[in-house]
Amino acid sequence: MTGPDIDAVTLEVVRNQLESLAEEMGQVLIRGAYSPNIKEREDCSTALFDASGRLVAQAEHIPVHLGAMPASVAAVRERDPAPGDVFVLNDPFAGGTHLPDVTMVSAIGIDARGDGGEETLGYAVSRAHHADVGGATPGSMPAGAREIFEEGLRVPPTRLVADGDVVEDVMGLLLANVRNPEERRADFRAQLAANDRGAERLRDLVAEHSRPKIEAAFDAVIDYSRERVEAELRDLPDGTYRASDVLEGDGRSEDDVPIAVTVTVDGASVTVDFDGTAGQVAGNVNAPLAVAESAVYFVLRCLTDPEIPPNQGCYDPVTVDAPRGCLLNPEPPAAVVGGNVETSQRVTDVVFAALADAAPERVPAQGQGTMNNLTIGSRDDGFAYYETLGGGAGARPTGDGLDGVQVGMTNTLNTPVEALESEYPLRVDEYALRPDSGGDGRHRGGLGVVRTVTVEAEATVSLLTERRRVAPRGVAGGGDGKTGENRIDGERVPAKVVRDVAAGTTVSIRTPGGGGHGPPADRDPAARAADEADGKTGDAD
């Protein structure tokens, strides 16, 4: 496993150093950013890849970002990046996920021969959700978009830094097509600084251990993770497992959009096939194949030992297929902004459901199954507020679901009330847990939240949400979680909607609760009493 060039102790030291490198990149990005979406919510991810484009180490950031990053690096490598180059991209059909997620890939050079000529040792990668990248609505998350051109500026892999110098023409083009360009410039610079830090730290490791040992460590840590994952997969019973679920419309229509999956476990490998899923739709819940792959990887990471280092080795035993032109492998110019945030959540639900028979002791009840995307922005003064709202996590076989948390494919924080009110013309009227929203059971589903905001200027509100009609399911006899609800000035509005609103308008989001686990009759009476004492039950909205 460790090979002749690196012993087990050195490998463990280097593995931790590589993971620390990725985490430090994330800290540089978060602390250097200007927008609340990155500096407060931490809606960003960082990772290190080797020269052949394999994921070596990642920070513990956003699942939907990290699992899809290999596609970005592969797209950049096709452009023959030279050491010192940084490529920027967001094109979902060329390595991206959705347009607000802007990825930067830096080729890290090292003087291998001592003559000043550099060779690429690896790639430092950062991805951040930018609060606006142009498009039809402020915030670039337009519910009901029909094609990608409505969603913002589309950037295929493009050289932003050449041999260490920013290409100002490219930076100018990016900034000319977004709202609040100075904030975008600052966030772009934070990403560049994060990548620079990753490159600096990797060179430090080469100086400490030597290039051969670092490259041997890349191979060894990937091999180690692959072997660990394969061993865990062998513990699952071989077989074919199926499940299906629906999205509640595509933003253009409220008709259900089916997602079907067949999971085949065969020894140390898993094949996940989405044949039977709806074709690509007119609205914007289409998701690039990299997003579907990311969701599958997340589920399998949840079902295997969390101590296994997350890298390419974890993904090698997994094959993901989706028919070309379907919801999960659309063709341009399909709109996709909701696919990254909402469809990805439903993919995790169906893959978990399919594997529930194979690993019932590890699969939780369904969580809220949505990111509750709320975007409020102005066409006049350029402000753009974006947030994903937490809800209930599904109950586990061993305990209650967590209350008011992000679940599935996102892992962001909330925007603190103080930061939100100081940065935007918004006032938070209510932010609280939603009593009785978790499904009943031996273990209770987590509670959703209520977030009510008054908009103090004319603005455009965009909502991209799910689980407003179809409740998060309980398992093993547990009750379903409560569906979510969206209201504008008290009027109930659809799951996916765009509205222009006047100053003084209130927007209220009630997020779904998680499903329960096990028969409600088996719940510990002391736990029920504690729920009532804490106000978690007995006060339904």
Side-chain angles (χ1 to χ4, degrees):
M1 183 182 300
T2 59
D5 295 324
I6 185 168
D7 62 84
V9 173
T10 302
L11 173 60
E12 184 64 9
V13 170
V14 175
R15 180 184 72 80
N16 280 277
Q17 289 176 318
L18 293 171
E19 292 180 3
S20 295
L21 177 159
E23 291 286 353
E24 186 176 352
M25 287 176 62
Q27 288 302 309
V28 170
L29 174 50
I30 290 163
R31 295 183 182 190
Y34 276 42
S35 68
N37 197 54
I38 301 174
K39 72 179 181 182
E40 300 286 359
R41 294 186 59 247
E42 302 184 6
D43 195 348
C44 58
S45 299
T46 51
L48 177 70
F49 288 71
D50 71 2
S52 61
R54 300 180 301 172
L55 174 64
V56 173
Q58 66 181 46
E60 296 295 336
H61 288 154
I62 313 300
V64 76
H65 288 176
L66 294 163
M69 272 188 183
S72 299
V73 177
V76 168
R77 291 183 70 241
E78 291 178 0
R79 271 71 173 179
D80 296 322
D85 289 351
V86 181
F87 277 73
V88 61
L89 67 99
N90 70 352
D91 187 351
F93 302 104
T97 50
H98 69 173
L99 298 183
D101 283 347
V102 177
T103 303
M104 293 190 186
V105 179
S106 298
I108 303 172
I110 185 170
D111 184 357
R113 298 180 298 274
D115 60 0
E118 291 196 330
E119 297 177 0
T120 298
L121 178 62
Y123 298 92
V125 185
S126 62
R127 174 171 288 167
H129 184 115
H130 289 259
D132 186 274
V133 291
T137 62
S140 311
M141 296 284 289
R146 294 163 294 185
E147 54 185 7
I148 195 168
F149 309 114
E150 299 176 63
E151 298 180 334
L153 178 65
R154 180 180 169 193
V155 185
T158 302
R159 192 175 276 102
L160 178 62
V161 175
D163 195 25
D165 295 322
V166 173
V167 182
E168 292 297 343
D169 288 348
V170 174
M171 181 67 82
L173 179 64
L174 298 176
L175 298 177
N177 286 278
V178 302
R179 301 170 181 91
N180 199 345
E182 291 310 310
E183 184 178 83
R184 296 288 73 68
R185 184 193 297 274
D187 287 349
F188 288 152
R189 285 176 172 171
Q191 283 189 255
L192 291 172
N195 286 20
D196 286 347
R197 182 62 60 86
E200 177 187 348
R201 290 292 181 254
L202 184 58
R203 294 189 188 103
D204 289 345
L205 292 180
V206 169
E208 179 180 350
H209 298 287
S210 81
R211 178 180 179 177
K213 280 193 175 180
I214 292 299
E215 292 180 326
F218 288 168
D219 291 335
V221 73
I222 290 171
D223 290 343
Y224 174 75
S225 292
R226 182 190 305 108
E227 292 170 12
R228 289 283 308 276
V229 168
E230 288 175 341
E232 299 248 338
L233 293 178
R234 289 190 187 96
D235 289 340
L236 297 177
D238 285 356
T240 299
Y241 307 92
R242 295 181 173 86
S244 62
D245 207 329
V246 298
L247 292 170
E248 300 168 339
D250 66 354
R252 305 297 302 173
S253 162
E254 294 192 31
D255 294 342
D256 287 345
V257 180
I259 297 176
V261 69
T262 301
V263 181
T264 302
V265 180
D266 183 9
S269 66
V270 172
T271 300
V272 181
D273 190 343
F274 290 98
D275 190 27
T277 293
Q280 68 184 69
V281 294
N284 67 2
V285 296
N286 302 292
L289 183 60
V291 170
E293 290 172 336
S294 190
V296 171
Y297 298 153
F298 167 77
V299 172
L300 291 173
R301 287 287 297 159
C302 290
L303 298 182
T304 54
D305 187 345
E307 296 302 317
I308 299 173
N311 58 50
Q312 184 64 43
C314 298
Y315 308 150
D316 284 343
V318 184
T319 301
V320 180
D321 295 316
R324 189 165 184 81
C326 83
L327 180 77
L328 302 179
N329 192 5
E331 298 187 83
V336 299
V337 73
N340 187 65
V341 290
E342 293 303 300
T343 307
S344 65
Q345 297 283 61
R346 197 62 63 253
V347 172
T348 65
D349 284 346
V350 296
V351 179
F352 267 129
L355 289 171
D357 289 338
E361 74 287 355
R362 302 185 194 179
V363 174
Q366 287 184 345
Q368 66 164 340
T370 175
M371 295 191 196
N372 302 294
N373 301 270
L374 170 61
T375 309
I376 305 174
S378 169
R379 300 182 190 276
D380 297 325
D381 62 13
F383 89 87
Y385 156 72
Y386 169 70
E387 183 151 21
T388 59
L389 301 177
R396 299 154 289 163
T398 57
D400 292 347
L402 299 179
D403 303 323
V405 295
Q406 303 285 5
V407 303
M409 297 305 290
T410 186
N411 192 30
T412 59
L413 305 180
N414 63 189
T415 306
V417 173
E418 298 84 354
L420 188 156
E421 293 185 340
S422 66
E423 295 276 356
Y424 307 112
L426 303 172
R427 184 182 71 246
V428 178
D429 301 311
E430 182 180 12
Y431 190 31
L433 292 176
R434 188 184 177 200
D436 281 318
S437 54
D440 201 359
R442 178 187 298 114
H443 301 298
R444 173 182 54 76
L447 302 184
V449 303
V450 181
R451 180 90 142 178
T452 301
V453 176
T454 295
V455 185
E456 298 183 326
E458 289 187 359
T460 300
V461 175
S462 179
L463 294 166
L464 277 170
T465 64
E466 276 285 322
R467 295 297 190 203
R468 269 49 184 174
R469 293 197 317 263
V470 181
R473 292 195 291 264
V475 296
D480 293 345
K482 201 166 190 175
T483 56
E485 184 179 293
N486 305 330
R487 292 184 180 271
I488 296 178
D489 273 345
E491 174 194 355
R492 193 162 185 167
V493 297
K496 301 169 185 67
V497 67
V498 175
R499 291 279 178 88
D500 290 327
V501 301
T505 298
T506 60
V507 180
S508 184
I509 311 298
R510 290 175 165 82
T511 70
H517 195 294
D522 292 348
R523 185 160 179 78
D524 185 343
R528 288 199 181 280
D531 286 342
E532 289 209 24
D534 291 340
K536 294 184 177 182
T537 59
D539 187 25
D541 56 18

